Amino acid sequence: MPMNIAIDGPVGAGKSSIADQVAERLHILHLDTGAMYRAFALHALRSGVDTADWAALARLAETVDIRVQYADGAQRTLLFGEDVSGVIRTGEVSAAASAVSACPAVRARMVRAQQEMARKADMLIDGRDIGTVVLKDSPCKIYLTAEPAERARRRYVQQLEKGDTTPYDEVLRALIARDEQDMHRQADPLRRAEDAVLVDSTHMTQEETVEAIVRIVEDVYGKQ
Ligand code: DC
């Protein structure tokens, strides 16, 4: 059985970068499932499909070709063979990804692909439904969160570094709106699995958070 680790949590909890570092420490792959929903959202936007039209999204989900590859340990997300890893990081795609991920047919398609990958390799997977759906039988689940104001602050600083001057209040508002959508949708909403260990990083540095998660993994799987 491969070693599978589930990390879930809300937007801005630092899941992606923390998961990257933990996976590196453990010498395993990190699958960022949000990138797959983002790639699907980009496909919907490019196809002119309304992201609230579930029937049309379900049709797109039947034919979409989203693959994940690794180059030097880093994930590349491919949409019909095109590397879209960079272009899926815009605000427009973020909002569309949150919308399309509410569609059950889209989720079913993504979950199947993620479970197939997890069966083949040791993998740390991060997302919203990993502990509750994708890896619901995993013995190692983490729910990583932080207070909304702190998550928004981190996002704001990150965006500023990229030259995006969106005011803090607006970043906080968008983050709360995405929390709301991700936690209250009908299909597999974001929630902490009963057997997930809670890590609240509000008052922790990145290094401390990585260390805490590595320790949780070692408690389950032994020292790597
Ligand atoms: O983690 P992220 O911000 O890149 O995710 C983009 C969107 O995809 C997010 O709004 C929620 C959705 N998502 C999901 O529903 N299930 C996952 N496993 C991962 C992401």
Side-chain angles (χ1 to χ4, degrees), residues 190-209:
L190 168 65
R191 63 181 179 83
R192 176 184 166 190
E194 276 159 28
D195 50 350
V197 181
L198 177 71
V199 176
D200 182 337
S201 73
T202 307
H203 304 292
M204 291 163 83
T205 63
Q206 277 218 0
E207 293 72 29
E208 287 167 343
T209 311

Side-chain angles (χ1 to χ4, degrees), residues 110-224:
M110 297 299 147
V111 167
R112 211 179 328 123
Q114 292 155 13
Q115 288 175 331
E116 252 167 54
M117 284 185 259
R119 265 195 294 276
K120 289 185 197 139
D122 289 344
M123 209 169 243
L124 182 156
I125 307 189
D126 92 87
R128 305 292 193 286
D129 60 340
I130 311 305
T132 52
V133 179
V134 178
L135 298 179
K136 69 175 185 308
D137 297 326
S138 167
C140 190
K141 301 179 184 177
I142 289 127
Y143 190 82
L144 177 62
T145 189
E147 282 164 18
E150 174 59 15
R151 290 190 277 125
R153 190 194 64 77
R154 292 176 191 167
R155 182 54 53 106
Y156 170 72
V157 171
Q158 224 175 37
Q159 291 184 350
L160 262 191
E161 280 166 5
K162 287 193 217 148
D164 179 344
T165 56
T166 308
Y168 170 81
D169 286 353
E170 211 170 295
V171 175
L172 178 62
R173 206 158 359 99
L175 183 135
I176 290 172
R178 275 182 69 195
D179 274 1
E180 188 61 26
Q181 195 162 5
D182 294 346
M183 291 177 185
H184 298 290
R185 67 180 179 219
Q186 279 233 298
D188 307 331
L190 168 65
R191 63 181 179 83
R192 176 184 166 190
E194 276 159 28
D195 50 350
V197 181
L198 177 71
V199 176
D200 182 337
S201 73
T202 307
H203 304 292
M204 291 163 83
T205 63
Q206 277 218 0
E207 293 72 29
E208 287 167 343
T209 311
V210 169
E211 206 51 54
I213 294 178
V214 168
R215 246 177 275 130
I216 293 166
V217 175
E218 287 177 349
D219 276 350
V220 177
Y221 286 110
K223 223 169 170 57
Q224 298 302 308

